[in-house]
Amino acid sequence: MAEFMELEGQDGVRMAWNVVPGTKQEASNCVVPVSAIYTPIKPFPSMPVLPYAPLRCRNCRSVLNPFSIVDFTAKIWICPFCFQRNHFPPHYASISDENLPAELFPQYTTIEYQSPGEASSLPPVFMFVVDTSIIEEEMAFLKSALTQAIGLLPDNSLVGLITFGTLVHVHELGFSTIPKTYAFKGSKDVSKDQLLEQMGFFLNKPKPSTGVIAGARDGLSSESIARFLLPASDCEFALNSILEELQKDPWPIPVDQRASRCTSTALSVAASLLGACVPGSGARIMAFIGGPSTEGPGAIVSKNLSEPIRSHKDLDKDSAPHYHKAVKFYEALAKQLVHQGHVLDLFACALDQVGVAELKVAVERTGGLVVLAESFGHSVFKDSLRCVFQSEDKDLGLSSNGIFEINCSKDIKVQGILGPCASLEKGSTSAWKLCGLDQATSLCLIFEIVKTDIPDATVQSSNQFYFQFLTYYQHSTGEMRLRVTTLSRRWVAGPGSIQDLIAGFDQEAAAVVMARLVSFKMEIEAEFDPIRWLDKTLIHICSRFGDYQKDSPSSFSLSPRFSIFPQFMFHLRRSQFVQVFNNSPDETAYFRMILNRENVANSVVMIQPSLISYSFQSVPEPALLDVAAIAADRILLLDSYFTIVIFHGSTIAQWRKAGYHNQPEHQAFAQLLLAPRDDSDAIIKDRFPIPRLVICDQHGSQARFLLAKLNPSATYNSEGHHPGGDIIFTDDVSFGVFLDHLQRLAVNKI
């Protein structure tokens, strides 16, 4: 595994198969697709940034790279993708074996180009869209968090404010002495033309005769735009004044009804306003939502409290009356935002569902951030919001306006991407728009091998497949950059290839690809059975790559390259991505959105949480993710990515309640209690969104957060429980039973 992490440290890429199956049939037999998890703008301290434009192949437009064949005498380079011969331009005249440009250095397979003349003139733009249909206590928490966030904004960034409840209010920030707002009816869809007309954009200037304003600033003066979008340094006082006086929605709510909340209309107004004022700027709409949408085209439930909010069962039975209409609305909004180059960030804080499942398409296609918490007063929300703007402790490296392209060798083509992007529908879909991306954004690229036969040994052909990933984006400094990553992977085919394939298998990357694939299939395929699909895949892989005698389960063994893969699949079957029971559609959508944008290391923790044991007998050490890890005199630290659990065994909990850690003679106990807290703080500091911290005791109610993730090797109907340990009340099979069945089925497969 170490060599795969080394490759990731150089290029930001993890491939499931690092030796690639060479034909269509071979790839099909491998079950896990030829795929890569790529982090386009992962920071590399030693990566050179070149201050000139890249040299491109005149045929396929791929960029000069270390795998290009160079004829120094004739000053020609041959493209490894299409074999086109290209002449070097005059400014490369001095190149030689001893005098190479940086892009030909073998170690610079990832490089960045910076074009000095292409810096964007537009500063970052933030449009805050704030829900006011929330209780006073939540309102106070939200106002406090927003005031703090506004203080952290870059001085030159443009800021706008929209509040919504029964009505949508667009706040004019240009005249702080006389606060002024424009109100729009929440139940009515407002077109961009109507919006600009009603907000007085054409008072001193005739409306453009074309009537089409989308994506053009021609008809709008900078003075009219500055009424609603102002530099943070100029409008901080006005913004804070508005926030101080902001009240919860004044419209009365009958006791048998929900609050009136027009989320979709507010987001539509924000998108249209930004589309008219700052198209192509990489602006962010930051939506703060505190309850379900009940008004407008994106409503998820009626105002009547007798109607429950849709559950997974309702979605499966197609009995959620508002769902399809809301999704259709947000698909149209996503298309509009992608066209404008704008991002939708979602901060959903409520005990109830707010509509994350419906909003998912708009957030994901624009590359937006998403945070789900129980309250605006919760540290998950407050600390995550601070992370977006604060760069001292952790810089998210928010970038915008990205375009991602892939070039491949002729025998391999791109099948698709799973991740926060939108297709540009360019030819055979090899280009995608990344409206918003950050240093952690990771895409899952799925490839298809198109070669059907193994070339004749007498015919000389290369046994390398080449991949080139191009990410053109606006850096957080405002300048435009092009990140180029070029990879080469050997392909194998034929009877003797199986050992080569095993040697190049990255089981962590493969598990993450399978997790993204199963989540995707559950959303788009009707009647899809995820457990059956995962089981069939795993049996097929074990049957093909396992070492065994036919019909003899006891003889079965897997190479170390594959040995942890069944464990990953066992935990994936039990994870929140596959088991939707006990989760709302909003929670499931949230978990899948985060999985779809994170790198391999973080995604593996979501699939199979890590467990560390602390005791007097030894230093902190990794423990098996099993109920057997629980002991009365142990502290366990569980990291499941979304939640971090510090679990005190019953004896430890009794000692803590007795206050022994406060006594000077029990300093060792005080340090034992402190160690998992320090480790959890370190994990929380490096993560976005901020995970929820749960501190609990054995047999306590919150111990469920740990027990739900453990392998149930000891249940209520098994024998021989160890004293001080625990059991899990479940009928789920344990990993041992799962493995026995897997071995039996794998050796019997024909």
Side-chain angles (χ1 to χ4, degrees), residues 150 161 163 230 307 360 394 435 471 557 588 590 600 630 676:
I150 288 161
L161 177 66
T163 56
L230 243 69
E307 182 193 322
K360 178 177 185 283
K394 176 177 170 52
C435 296
T471 312
S557 68
T588 301
Y590 173 67
V600 171
I630 295 176

Side-chain angles (χ1 to χ4, degrees), residues 259-568:
S260 184
R261 184 180 282 106
C262 56
T263 310
S264 53
T265 313
L267 293 176
S268 178
V269 166
S272 296
L273 186 59
L274 289 177
C277 296
V278 284
S281 63
R284 304 188 84 94
I285 297 172
M286 306 190 88
F288 300 88
I289 303 174
S293 175
T294 56
E295 195 88 81
I300 66 162
V301 69
S302 73
K303 288 185 201 168
N304 202 330
L305 276 170
S306 60
E307 182 193 322
I309 299 180
R310 79 276 176 283
S311 65
H312 277 294
K313 194 176 272 187
D314 295 327
L315 296 180
D316 290 342
K317 288 180 179 173
D318 206 14
S319 59
H322 308 274
Y323 181 74
H324 294 295
K325 185 187 174 190
V327 169
K328 192 177 176 186
F329 170 82
Y330 286 119
E331 277 176 346
L333 183 70
K335 196 171 181 181
Q336 180 187 344
L337 289 170
V338 169
H339 175 66
Q340 294 171 185
H342 297 158
V343 183
L344 173 60
D345 296 325
L346 177 61
F347 297 86
C349 298
L351 288 167
D352 217 337
Q353 297 185 70
V354 306
V356 178
E358 287 83 355
L359 275 156
K360 178 177 185 283
V361 61
V363 177
E364 205 157 49
R365 285 189 192 162
T366 62
L369 305 171
V370 58
V371 174
L372 186 68
E374 291 174 359
S375 158
F376 287 115
H378 203 291
S379 61
V380 169
F381 164 71
K382 292 192 297 186
D383 296 347
S384 296
L385 181 62
R386 201 178 302 120
C387 278
V388 175
F389 301 108
Q390 208 163 20
S391 54
E392 291 90 60
D393 300 336
K394 176 177 170 52
D395 185 9
L396 294 181
L398 292 178
S399 302
S400 55
N401 272 328
I403 289 178
F404 180 69
E405 292 190 54
I406 304 176
N407 294 319
C408 303
S409 296
K410 67 180 177 66
D411 289 323
I412 192 165
K413 71 177 185 183
V414 188
Q415 203 171 23
I417 286 189
L418 299 174
C421 58
S423 171
L424 279 176
E425 285 146 22
K426 176 184 171 184
S428 58
T429 318
S430 60
W432 291 263
K433 182 78 182 269
L434 299 161
C435 296
L437 69 165
D438 57 62
Q439 292 176 355
T441 303
S442 300
L443 305 172
C444 176
L445 324 173
I446 311 284
F447 299 100
E448 184 184 356
I449 309 296
V450 291
K451 186 163 59 174
T452 51
D453 53 349
I454 307 166
D456 188 356
T458 55
V459 180
Q460 191 179 7
S461 73
S462 164
N463 70 337
Q464 298 288 324
F465 280 146
Y466 295 102
F467 307 84
Q468 190 172 75
F469 308 142
L470 306 168
T471 312
Y472 186 66
Y473 71 102
Q474 186 178 336
H475 192 261
S476 48
T477 56
E479 62 197 20
M480 298 306 292
R481 292 194 179 184
L482 174 67
R483 171 82 65 101
V484 181
T485 296
T486 314
L487 308 172
S488 165
R489 292 290 186 270
R490 183 166 64 94
W491 63 262
V492 292
S497 63
I498 205 151
Q499 288 308 316
D500 289 328
L501 289 170
I502 289 172
F505 185 69
D506 181 347
Q507 50 198 337
E508 286 188 350
V512 174
V513 170
M514 295 305 285
R516 286 205 193 193
L517 265 176
V518 77
S519 298
F520 174 69
K521 284 174 173 289
M522 285 179 78
E523 285 178 359
I524 64 150
E525 292 183 20
E527 307 298 318
F528 176 70
D529 185 341
I531 300 288
R532 186 175 170 79
W533 184 77
L534 287 171
D535 287 352
K536 280 176 75 174
T537 302
L538 184 57
I539 292 163
H540 196 118
I541 281 179
C542 290
S543 181
R544 177 158 165 74
F545 295 102
D547 197 7
Y548 56 88
Q549 292 165 9
K550 184 99 175 77
D551 297 331
S552 171
S554 59
S555 67
F556 182 87
S557 68
L558 278 171
S559 148
R561 290 283 196 216
F562 277 86
S563 58
I564 314 173
F565 191 68
Q567 203 171 304
F568 286 144

Side-chain angles (χ1 to χ4, degrees), residues 39 61 140 176 210 473 515 537 615 727:
T39 310
R61 305 295 296 150
S176 56
T210 57
Y473 71 102
T537 302
S615 68
I727 59 167

